[in-house]
Amino acid sequence: MTAAPDLLHGLAPGEVEHLLAGEHREPHRVLGVHPVPGGVVLRALCPDAARAECRLPDGSVRSMAEVQSGLFAIRLDGADPGPTTRYVFHFAAGASWERGDPYRFPPGLGELDLHLFNEGKHRRLWRHLGAHPAERDGVAGVQFAVWAPNARRVSVIGDFCRWDGRFFPMRLLGGSGVFELFLPGVSAGALYKFEILTAEGVLRVKTDPMAQAMEHPPETASRVTASTYAWGDEGWMAERRGWDHARRPMSIYEVHLGSWARGEGGRPLGYREIAPRLAAHARALGFTHLELLPIAEHPFGGSWGYQVTGYFAPTARFGGPDDFRFFVDHCHREGLGVILDWVPAHFPKDDFALRRFDGSALYEHDDPRLAEHPDWGTLIFNYGREEVRGFLIANALYWLDEFHIDGLRVDAVASMLYRDYSRGEGQWLPNPMGGRENLEAIAFLRAMNEAVLEDQPGCFTVAEESTSWPHVTRPAAEGGLGFTLKWNMGWMHDTLGYFQTDPFFRPYHQNDLTFAMIYEYSERFIMPLSHDEVVHLKGSLIGKMPGDPWQKFANLRLLYAYQFTRPGKQLLFMGSEIAPSEEWNHDHGLDWRLAEEPRRAGLLRYLADLGGLYRASPALWADDHVPEGFAWIDCADHKNAVVSYLRRGEGAHLVVVLNLTPLVHDDYRIGVPSGGAYRVLLSSDAETYGGSGVGHGVEAAVEDMPYHGQPRSIRLRLPPLGALVLAPVTHE
């Protein structure tokens, strides 16, 4: 078929053939509106169409010539008729398709945005890459943009074009590696992906790395979305900016949203449905924060969210992005902070997602000695690539900004810090200085933490770091990694090991319980009793406790008392309050019927009182991070397996005594700093909690007898496997 010469005016030889072969990186050179002497030429692409027409803004319809198979053109005298010009394509079977012209619009991304992206410094990347409903020259549509620098061609595909990559090839913006296209007529709710022709000529179909919503798994398409949510947490957000979390109470309830509770027929509860129930429960137990296992989209529920394929999309399992905004908003209005588990350490090999995104190792390394995680069968981000580093930093800020998340708990930090993590000899590459440290990951973590500090004041980050890497919570400017807090894995291992020991043998292991104070102030810690301790055949917490049922529950109450009253913040996994005897199973909701059993009902009351005491007592949290906030009264009574200590803060102090054996200790003397009397605020052995009632409600007179290095002392009756928390009182 031969076209009039002016229909191809300005095109290089072979350019049309290049477009029709699906390999043109700048389709706007061929398609769209192009000036010619005395008028303009309009060109449109629609493979398989038998004929095409041009519907002008005045309502008139003009036939278009078929330049080559699927490429249609028309010459119009005078000026461009304008952006409301539309094309009507007719197919041999009788169907027709009318749409606007995607190729008449200028680029939707500016040079500054592209420059910042390529340098890894664009902190609002999600507002520019991905899919965004927009209006261009009065025409409504969606702006698409994706980074695929090694692709020969990228097309937007979706339910708006029969998922056919021939219809909407995208334009490469200079040397940025970013392809973009504005599609008129597409709107929020549309499903889409990107079809990528690799340098090797292979077609790959990928979800959008920046998609802010996705289909419900197991489906994998990205979904165009736009928020209409009106926030109601202005007071919380204003106060948050000035918070120093080291000096605030922080008691965290860790939650897997899909299994905290289930609805009819075992269905998971949605974000809006679960929010009031979960927030009320957490508040009743005195928790200050919820920590959610990852809710970024993931294909396999059995990963609990730790194998992410949609870094910017809240999982559709529980609703849409605005539903998740409601969840966070409701928590804030109920006085609860929200922490999100965030996973920048690795991503899965699912071929629809980031793996070899444009046919090359784009987000990961090419060398498997750097790219693959041997433990999890996943891929490791290339932290040395500016665009990848910027993608992850922008993602961290996205959750804090768009969803008002208060903190990020960064998963698997230890695996990021070492090139030889879980690798044997010959399976890893040293860094340029010959060491095992991952210098690029260290630089990324520092940059991420600095960005959070600068961009989202009042927000915080938490490292799950299981080695002795130094200065995890020291500011990056001072040579640290810059995290606000770190999980104290050493405390968790030593403490659970001690509590699993039969009380008869505990006198020989007391140093296991007290050792963590040696390094307590090397970092700012959270003490986790997390989901990791109740899975993979580790048994439940109550199952780890020795003794008969009474002793098991007494031990568990004692463990919680120690966790809540020593320095550091604390975290408990959901279900800890009802002590299920079975391991956690992500496929089922917690068995809340257990809460009706007497011992478990007592445990619930105990945790509510313990949490309330913690929140109401600055001595337990205001000076967590400095040695002045804690002092041993006595940690050397190995024979009786009794430890006692002081907690101080904001001018107040509390005395804590732990009896770690099932023997009652009568007339047990404890040194104290104040005169007058001390009153028991909490006894874990109170009858209402399922205990024997020893020591509950006691007020002990202070004697002028120095003891334990203190100027005075009191005598107590210590309950079996029990904790006492006492405060000084003044009698007028």
Side-chain angles (χ1 to χ4, degrees):
M1 184 175 297
T2 303
D6 60 350
L7 293 182
L8 299 179
H9 179 80
L11 296 180
E15 201 160 4
V16 170
E17 290 75 14
H18 199 48
L19 173 72
L20 295 177
E23 297 187 3
H24 206 307
R25 286 177 137 202
E26 299 180 74
H28 293 68
R29 282 186 44 80
V30 179
L31 303 173
V33 182
H34 301 273
V36 296
V40 292
V41 169
L42 279 62
R43 303 190 196 103
L45 178 68
C46 187
D48 303 333
R51 61 187 179 89
E53 297 169 321
C54 177
R55 188 184 302 278
L56 299 175
D58 63 7
S60 63
V61 177
R62 302 273 299 275
S63 292
M64 303 179 73
E66 188 171 15
V67 177
Q68 289 194 31
S69 179
L71 178 64
F72 299 89
I74 186 173
R75 184 191 188 284
L76 300 174
D77 293 331
D80 174 13
T84 57
T85 301
R86 297 177 65 79
Y87 302 120
V88 183
F89 301 102
H90 300 273
F91 300 92
S96 63
W97 179 25
E98 182 174 338
R99 62 170 174 82
D101 184 358
Y103 298 96
R104 63 162 46 249
F105 299 95
L109 283 81
E111 289 187 11
L112 177 60
D113 291 317
L114 295 171
H115 180 70
L116 290 173
F117 165 61
N118 289 136
E119 288 191 341
K121 296 179 180 178
H122 204 310
R123 292 187 177 179
R124 292 294 181 275
L125 193 59
W126 66 89
R127 297 181 182 174
H128 300 275
L129 297 186
H132 301 279
E135 187 174 293
R136 306 282 299 277
D137 295 336
V139 177
V142 173
Q143 177 71 47
F144 293 92
V146 64
W147 179 52
N150 300 300
R152 284 161 58 179
R153 184 257 302 167
V154 179
S155 295
V156 182
I157 60 174
D159 51 8
F160 42 79
C161 67
R162 300 183 301 178
W163 301 95
D164 191 328
R166 297 175 298 166
F167 287 100
F168 296 126
M170 304 175 74
R171 162 174 52 198
L172 177 64
L173 297 177
S176 67
V178 173
F179 288 80
E180 69 90 36
L181 186 67
F182 176 75
L183 281 187
V186 180
S187 58
L191 298 175
Y192 72 99
K193 289 187 177 185
F194 295 114
E195 182 182 274
I196 298 172
L197 181 66
T198 72
E200 294 76 24
V202 177
L203 282 178
R204 299 176 67 78
V205 176
K206 294 288 191 175
T207 54
D208 181 3
M210 304 292 295
Q212 296 181 28
M214 294 182 69
E215 276 188 293
H216 192 296
E219 303 306 319
T220 60
S222 307
R223 187 183 298 277
V224 178
T225 187
S227 177
T228 59
Y229 189 76
W231 289 91
D233 63 348
E234 295 85 359
W236 176 279
M237 296 295 286
E239 290 183 21
R240 185 177 83 175
R241 294 180 64 86
W243 284 344
D244 177 0
H245 294 283
R247 295 184 176 276
R248 290 180 58 82
M250 186 178 291
S251 182
I252 303 166
Y253 187 57
E254 188 189 31
V255 175
H256 177 261
L257 277 183
S259 59
W260 183 75
R262 293 287 179 113
E264 304 81 7
R267 65 172 181 84
L269 302 180
Y271 294 120
R272 291 178 183 264
E273 190 178 8
I274 199 173
R277 292 175 55 181
L278 179 55
H281 179 75
R283 285 288 292 173
L285 294 178
F287 289 103
T288 64
H289 291 74
L290 297 177
E291 180 174 317
L292 305 182
L293 271 64
I295 57 90
E297 195 58 85
H298 50 283
F300 177 49
S303 77
W304 314 328
Y306 289 98
Q307 295 199 3
V308 179
T309 51
Y311 273 83
F312 289 80
T315 179
R317 291 169 173 84
F318 314 123
D322 276 357
D323 298 320
F324 184 55
R325 287 181 173 92
F326 173 90
F327 177 93
V328 178
D329 193 12
H330 182 83
C331 290
H332 284 173
R333 286 187 281 178
E334 292 297 312
L336 279 171
V338 180
I339 304 168
L340 192 63
D341 268 19
W342 185 55
V343 192
H346 62 122
F347 60 92
K349 294 181 179 179
D350 298 73
D351 203 49
F352 67 84
L354 295 180
R355 175 183 173 271
R356 301 195 74 84
F357 184 78
D358 63 357
S360 68
L362 192 61
Y363 288 87
E364 69 272 37
H365 289 274
D366 203 32
D367 191 321
R369 291 172 295 179
L370 297 172
E372 297 190 12
H373 200 295
D375 286 349
W376 305 317
T378 52
L379 298 173
I380 300 169
F381 283 102
N382 182 352
Y383 305 106
R385 188 162 197 166
E386 287 84 354
E387 293 92 343
V388 174
R389 186 168 62 246
F391 169 84
L392 290 171
I393 292 174
N395 184 242
L397 297 174
Y398 168 76
W399 294 104
L400 305 176
D401 186 312
E402 292 286 337
F403 294 95
H404 294 194
I405 295 297
D406 300 287
L408 298 173
R409 179 267 195 185
V410 183
D411 180 63
V413 170
S415 75
M416 301 169 68
L417 295 174
Y418 302 96
R419 285 176 170 237
D420 63 343
Y421 188 89
S422 288
R423 297 179 187 272
E425 186 176 353
Q427 297 177 334
W428 61 282
L429 291 177
N431 64 39
M433 295 187 294
R436 58 196 286 256
E437 300 82 6
N438 189 331
L439 303 179
E440 296 84 0
I442 295 165
F444 157 69
L445 290 171
R446 287 171 172 165
M448 181 275 297
N449 283 316
E450 286 185 318
V452 170
L453 186 67
E454 294 166 4
D455 206 77
Q456 297 292 327
C459 292
F460 59 94
T461 58
V462 181
E464 187 218 11
E465 200 286 305
S466 55
T467 73
S468 56
W469 186 276
H471 310 314
V472 172
T473 57
R474 179 179 290 183
E478 299 175 13
L481 293 182
F483 286 92
T484 314
L485 296 157
K486 172 184 171 175
W487 273 21
N488 193 338
M489 308 297 282
W491 173 88
M492 179 272 296
H493 284 293
D494 291 348
T495 300
L496 284 181
Y498 179 87
F499 271 88
Q500 287 177 272
T501 301
D502 188 296
F504 180 81
F505 298 104
R506 286 179 181 173
Y508 307 101
H509 297 275
Q510 193 150 307
N511 288 341
D512 293 344
L513 190 71
T514 60
F515 176 73
M517 283 309 304
I518 299 294
Y519 59 86
E520 180 65 37
Y521 303 106
S522 63
E523 304 281 3
R524 296 183 177 185
F525 284 121
I526 291 174
M527 295 166 285
L529 294 175
S530 74
H531 67 280
D532 281 329
E533 311 322 314
V534 292
V535 291
H536 301 320
L537 303 180
K538 295 178 186 174
S540 63
L541 283 184
I542 192 69
K544 299 179 195 295
M545 301 297 107
D548 59 29
W550 188 94
Q551 290 184 346
K552 285 180 179 292
F553 277 87
N555 269 303
L556 194 59
R557 294 192 301 270
L558 184 56
L559 169 62
Y560 294 159
Y562 180 52
Q563 182 189 28
F564 275 66
T565 60
R566 72 180 303 282
K569 317 305 181 184
Q570 61 274 343
L571 176 145
L572 283 177
F573 184 53
M574 65 181 199
S576 299
E577 66 272 38
I578 54 174
S581 56
E582 303 296 327
E583 281 192 342
W584 168 56
N585 185 334
H586 69 275
D587 284 327
H588 302 284
L590 293 176
D591 187 359
W592 290 106
R593 295 171 300 178
L594 295 175
E596 301 171 6
E597 299 178 6
R599 283 198 180 99
R600 290 179 165 90
L603 182 63
L604 261 173
R605 288 190 292 271
Y606 172 68
L607 265 175
D609 289 350
L610 180 61
L613 174 65
Y614 171 79
R615 289 188 65 147
S617 304
L620 293 177
W621 42 261
D623 285 332
D624 265 341
H625 61 299
V626 291
E628 291 76 14
F630 174 90
W632 289 115
I633 295 174
D634 182 22
C635 62
D637 188 359
H638 295 251
K639 178 181 178 181
N640 292 307
V642 173
V643 297
S644 52
Y645 46 90
L646 289 170
R647 293 302 316 277
R648 305 187 187 100
E650 294 188 3
H653 76 270
L654 297 176
V655 171
V656 181
V657 187
L658 309 178
N659 177 13
L660 297 146
T661 73
L663 303 176
V664 176
H665 294 297
D666 289 305
D667 203 31
Y668 195 92
R669 188 174 293 276
I670 298 288
V672 294
S674 296
Y678 279 79
R679 178 170 55 91
V680 174
L681 301 181
L682 183 79
S683 169
S684 67
D685 189 51
E687 291 181 0
T688 188
Y689 306 143
S692 61
V694 174
H696 182 60
V698 168
E699 187 171 295
V702 173
E703 300 177 16
D704 287 330
M705 177 180 177
Y707 207 71
H708 289 143
Q710 301 293 330
R712 303 170 183 85
S713 58
I714 56 176
R715 290 180 293 169
L716 299 169
R717 189 171 190 234
L718 302 186
L721 294 172
L724 299 178
V725 182
L726 304 97
V729 295
T730 302
H731 295 290
E732 297 182 357

